[in-house]
């Protein structure tokens, strides 16, 4: 068993274990990858304020997200094709999250279906919805999520059209993977991954195949998926979906203070400040840089969460200090999943919790709920160098 000291160690192992096309799918941003890199780098510009001689004997990382107690301010973000990173990947991640006490979000574009995860996970999970042109299919998805007792609907707003990721184009990425000679040779060098995949029936987009009209095989699936993200999605439709769902409602993909106010007006219980991990609008600001203005813009009207660039517990503390109530992690847990399956997701969560806990202690904070701007040092121009 390799020694895992940090999330980067999981990433190193992940790279060895998973076929290149899926590693590349995860570990990239769109176009020049500027925003993808900025998400991580901008955290490094913020420094932590060391405080001493404070009682730090009774620390806790627990908090709440939309009224539910969580073991730390972290949820697992929706990940497309997650079940290609490890066999039954969504089920493994959902189980790890439930055991740890943090929420798991299932993507519309998952490999394991809503029903697969509901049958295998001990706790309710959140369902992430992409609005598709096929309204009957979207209605049915919402109904399936309700039947599966999903405890929140996470509506993604920043993918009405797909930003190009060059590596996917070059790798000819598909789910299941196309069995070209280079792909087969690559898979032969990842025996654990290959045997896992051979041992599961879950190797395609199971929320879609057999559910969407006229999609019963793979060729039909790729034709369907390419044209399905709905470019007409607007705030009126967001409100209609909220009314249709009626339960806890989270809007993901907000990067602008004006949009954040509109998301609060639309009745979101929480918004996720997100640029889709730098996978959509390349050239957009990093999430940590826009967070303070968004937090100021919405105040207490909705919970503000952040994803993008979180690789350490220090990053979580910084996000909370700059105005987020909680965070979501994507790649940090996918590295663990690809490296070691369910145990790897647990490991990623343990690493982040331990780093958060020790960082809190060294900043003199006992309780994650008390993290605030007084615990960080932010460069004076951190927010102010850009003007519309
Ligand atoms: C899908 O959400 C992706 O970013 O690939």
């Amino acid at each position: 068993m390799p020694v895992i000291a940090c999330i980067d160690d999981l990433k190193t192992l992940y790279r060895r274990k998973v076929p290149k096309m899926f590693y590349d799918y995860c570990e990239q941003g769109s176009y020049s990858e500027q925003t993808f890199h900025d998400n991580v780098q901008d955290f490094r510009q913020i420094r932590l304020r060391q405080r001493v001689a404070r009682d730090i004997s009774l620390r806790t990382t627990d908090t709440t997200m939309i009224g539910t107690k969580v073991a730390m301010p972290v949820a697992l973000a929706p990940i497309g094709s997650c079940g290609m990173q490890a066999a039954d990947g969504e089920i493994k991640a959902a189980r790890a999250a439930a055991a740890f006490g943090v929420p798991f979000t299932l993507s519309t574009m998952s490999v394991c279906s809503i029903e697969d995860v509901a049958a295998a996970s001990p706790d309710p999970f959140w369902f992430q919805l992409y609005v598709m042109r096929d309204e009957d299919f979207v209605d049915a998805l919402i109904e399936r999520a309700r039947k599966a007792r999903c405890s929140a609907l996470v509506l993604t707003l920043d993918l009405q059209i797909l930003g190009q990721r060059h590596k996917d184009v070059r790798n000819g990425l598909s789910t299941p993977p196309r069995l070209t000679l280079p792909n087969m040779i690559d898979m032969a060098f990842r025996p654990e991954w290959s045997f896992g995949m051979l041992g599961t029936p879950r190797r395609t987009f199971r929320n879609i195949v057999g559910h969407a009209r006229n999609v019963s095989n793979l060729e039909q699936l790729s034709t369907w998926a390419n044209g399905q993200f709905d470019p007409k999605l607007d705030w009126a439709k967001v409100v209609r979906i909220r009314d249709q769902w009626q339960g806890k409602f989270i809007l993901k993909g907000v990067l602008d203070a004006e949009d954040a106010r509109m998301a609060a007006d639309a009745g979101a219980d929480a918004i996720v400040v997100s640029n889709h991990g730098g996978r959509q609008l390349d050239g957009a600001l990093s999430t940590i840089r826009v967070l303070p203005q968004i937090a100021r813009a919405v105040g207490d009207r909705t919970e503000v969460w952040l994803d993008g660039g979180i690789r350490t517990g220090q990053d979580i503390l910084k996000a909370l200090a700059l105005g987020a109530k909680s965070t979501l992690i994507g790649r940090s847990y996918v590295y663990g999943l690809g490296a070691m399956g369910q145990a790897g997701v647990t490991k990623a969560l343990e690493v982040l919790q331990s780093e958060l806990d020790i960082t809190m202690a060294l900043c003199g904070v006992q309780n994650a709920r008390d993290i605030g701007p007084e615990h960080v040092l932010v460069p004076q121009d951190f927010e102010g160098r850009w003007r519309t």
Side-chain angles (χ1 to χ4, degrees), residues 103-354:
F104 169 76
T105 319
L106 183 72
S107 166
T108 292
M109 303 304 288
S110 57
V111 172
C112 301
S113 67
I114 302 173
E115 294 77 11
D116 289 332
V117 178
S121 168
D123 281 359
F125 54 96
W126 298 346
F127 181 66
Q128 174 269 341
L129 180 71
Y130 277 128
V131 178
M132 305 291 197
R133 290 178 203 247
D134 181 343
E135 293 192 351
D136 292 343
F137 174 70
V138 173
D139 289 348
L141 266 183
I142 293 174
E143 222 22 69
R144 287 167 63 196
R146 196 194 316 282
K147 263 206 192 119
R149 296 189 307 112
C150 291
S151 47
L153 191 72
V154 181
L155 178 62
T156 297
L157 297 174
D158 61 0
L159 200 142
Q160 286 174 268
I161 191 165
L162 204 62
Q164 178 172 301
R165 298 99 192 231
H166 299 333
K167 288 175 186 162
D168 291 349
V169 176
R170 294 183 188 123
N171 290 334
L173 183 87
S174 62
T175 303
R178 218 174 299 149
L179 291 180
T180 59
L181 188 61
N183 286 347
M184 283 169 73
I185 293 170
D186 189 41
M187 283 171 208
F189 282 100
R190 331 276 170 167
E192 257 178 81
W193 180 92
S194 301
F195 283 121
M197 283 298 165
L198 287 171
T200 177
R202 303 183 186 94
R203 290 194 291 255
T204 185
F205 294 113
R206 285 165 65 97
N207 281 331
I208 297 167
V209 176
H211 293 279
R213 207 178 313 132
N214 300 330
V215 183
S216 46
N217 64 39
L218 288 173
E219 226 177 304
Q220 289 167 344
L221 172 66
S222 42
T223 317
W224 182 89
N226 285 339
Q228 267 299 326
F229 296 113
D230 185 359
K232 285 195 180 146
L233 175 63
D234 60 9
W235 289 109
K237 194 154 190 175
V238 169
V239 170
R240 281 206 298 282
I241 291 171
R242 182 205 65 190
D243 291 345
Q244 190 176 349
W245 170 248
Q246 292 188 339
K248 295 283 184 190
F249 189 57
I250 299 160
L251 290 174
K252 175 172 177 286
V254 175
L255 204 64
D256 187 278
E258 210 169 299
D259 285 342
R261 278 190 217 101
M262 290 165 109
D265 291 344
D269 294 293
I271 60 172
V272 186
V273 176
S274 173
N275 50 33
H276 218 98
R279 301 164 72 82
Q280 285 291 93
L281 180 63
D282 185 39
L285 290 178
S286 67
T287 50
I288 191 65
R289 213 181 272 279
V290 296
L291 173 66
Q293 42 181 298
I294 289 184
R296 283 194 300 272
V298 300
D300 287 335
R301 295 178 61 212
T302 182
E303 291 189 16
V304 176
W305 304 342
L306 170 140
D307 75 12
I310 291 184
R311 305 287 185 271
T312 66
Q314 289 85 340
D315 296 337
I316 297 170
L317 190 147
K318 290 172 183 176
L320 267 55
L322 266 58
K325 183 168 197 289
S326 191
T327 64
L328 277 72
I329 54 166
R331 294 183 180 90
S332 286
Y333 94 78
V334 171
Y335 301 157
L337 179 67
M340 295 156 62
Q342 183 174 332
V345 179
T346 304
K347 189 73 195 173
L349 292 168
E350 284 169 358
V351 163
L352 292 173
Q353 187 179 40
S354 159

